[in-house]
Amino acid sequence: MHEPVRPSWVCAVCPEGTPWPCPPGRTQLAEAYVGEPIALSVDVAELLPLAVEEAGITDPHELYDRFVSWTWIDAGGRP
């Protein structure tokens, strides 16, 4: 299962240093939240403060792109 290794927030399964959520991790999360895209966005957004505190990721653009933006892409690939 593609989960974060904390406190570094890299994927436990992907090649070393791959940021989590990785593409397979995103797929797993999306499948777990089928029909509930807002809940998915809220839940991953709640991880932002933890990533800031634990891994020191403070760039707001990186945080948004990494944790939230992908949750708003529909099946057609459009945001």
Side-chain angles (χ1 to χ4, degrees), residues 6-33:
R6 293 172 61 187
S8 63
W9 288 86
V10 296
C11 181
V13 178
C14 288
E16 189 172 327
T18 302
W20 185 91
C22 57
R26 291 175 180 189
T27 299
Q28 288 175 343
L29 286 165
E31 289 171 353
Y33 285 85

